[in-house]
Amino acid sequence: MSRDLTSGTWMRVALSCLSMLGLVVAWEITVRWFSIPEWILPAPSSIAQVALEWRVDLMHHSWVTLYETLAGFMAALAIALPIAIVIAYTPILKHTIYPALLALQSVPKVAIAPLITLWVGFGAMPKIIVVFLVCFFPIVVSAAAGLEATSKSRLDLMRSLKAKPWQVFWRLRIPEAMPHIMVGCKVGITFAVIGAVIGEFVGSEEGLGFLILTSTAQSKTSLAFSALIILTVISIALYYLVEQAEKMLVVWKSQ
């Protein structure tokens, strides 16, 4: 059975790689066939060449964006989970805190990013705050929903066994809420990269967002595409890291 699952996984990976390879080849042929100028749409071969030439700078800017992404995401996770617990255990707060959270989430982050830069200044902190804001809402909503969705019959069983409140919390509520929490984390980590780039667009001197902004202003489209591809790889890699964490934390779901 496990061998069949492994072979099926490898088959899916192989098909995904082949489809991506076909897309790259089609892209290269299209650019060359129609003689599209490089400043409009560079060929994959040109992007690879520029990425090799700029590898040191690309590495530096990638680490900056990755740091801002992870710092903002971890801060959102550390603050969202306690607030979700308070909301789940205090129903009245759901009607007081939720509207404020919804209002905060409804404000376009592109609109408030310049204000955050004005208040906090330049550097990594305003980008981390933007990442925090885009990650916070999905995590807190998913966690609160998971904690509130605990099975009533299981709660009654725990109480009938004279379980203490902290035992009910750690042994029932948290395990049952974990799938919901991980869904919020997967949504949040995807938004985190977008938040970091938004912050870098508004005001920055380093990071992949800054590199995209400056390279497009100078018509270095191949360099901009290189940064875009790295951003995509970072986003996908972080998503699958969270998914692997989900498989380790929610063991019964992966079986």
Side-chain angles (χ1 to χ4, degrees):
M1 181 66 177
S2 60
R3 186 177 298 176
D4 292 339
L5 289 173
T6 303
S7 61
T9 302
W10 280 110
M11 181 64 70
R12 288 193 296 271
V13 171
L15 288 174
S16 299
C17 292
L18 285 174
S19 62
M20 288 300 297
L21 181 61
L23 180 63
V24 170
V25 171
W27 181 356
E28 182 80 26
I29 292 173
T30 301
V31 171
R32 292 182 180 276
W33 182 268
F34 292 101
S35 301
I36 301 175
E38 185 175 335
W39 63 272
I40 294 179
L41 181 64
S45 57
S46 176
I47 295 171
Q49 182 180 353
V50 170
L52 189 61
E53 294 172 358
W54 286 74
R55 60 187 180 277
V56 176
D57 294 280
L58 285 168
M59 184 73 70
H60 168 71
H61 291 295
S62 299
W63 279 116
V64 171
T65 301
L66 182 61
Y67 164 73
E68 295 164 352
T69 300
L70 291 177
F73 175 77
M74 295 307 295
L77 188 62
I79 296 175
L81 291 181
I83 291 178
I85 293 169
V86 171
I87 290 173
Y89 275 89
T90 315
I92 192 172
L93 291 180
K94 184 175 182 180
H95 304 289
T96 56
I97 293 180
Y98 257 34
L101 294 177
L102 183 59
L104 182 64
Q105 177 65 16
S106 301
V107 177
K109 304 306 178 289
V110 178
I112 62 173
L115 292 174
I116 295 172
T117 303
L118 179 66
W119 295 332
V120 181
F122 288 89
M125 186 53 66
K127 289 77 176 176
I128 293 172
I129 293 174
V130 174
V131 174
F132 168 84
L133 291 175
V134 299
C135 294
F136 176 79
F137 190 77
I139 295 175
V140 73
V141 169
S142 298
L147 290 166
E148 291 175 350
T150 306
S151 171
K152 189 177 183 301
S153 60
R154 294 181 181 179
L155 279 172
D156 293 338
L157 177 61
M158 292 286 285
R159 288 164 183 160
S160 68
L161 294 173
K162 302 292 191 293
K164 296 179 180 179
W166 67 267
Q167 291 175 319
V168 175
F169 176 75
W170 283 110
R171 297 184 180 180
L172 180 61
R173 282 188 179 272
I174 287 295
E176 289 208 357
M178 193 58 69
H180 295 78
I181 295 172
M182 296 311 298
V183 168
C185 288
K186 286 191 284 189
V187 174
I189 199 65
T190 306
F191 286 167
V193 179
I194 300 172
V197 174
I198 289 173
E200 291 167 356
F201 277 170
V202 172
S204 179
E205 294 181 353
E206 53 186 354
L208 292 173
F210 165 77
L211 189 61
I212 291 170
L213 205 61
T214 54
S215 58
T216 51
Q218 299 170 12
S219 297
K220 296 179 180 178
T221 314
S222 296
L223 182 58
F225 267 92
S226 301
L228 280 170
I229 292 169
I230 294 173
L231 278 173
T232 304
V233 171
I234 289 174
S235 184
I236 293 172
L238 290 176
Y239 178 87
Y240 279 109
L241 279 175
V242 174
E243 192 174 66
Q244 287 301 313
E246 180 184 17
K247 291 179 180 178
M248 291 187 291
L249 294 172
V250 193
V251 181
W252 62 92
K253 186 179 177 182
S254 60
Q255 287 178 346

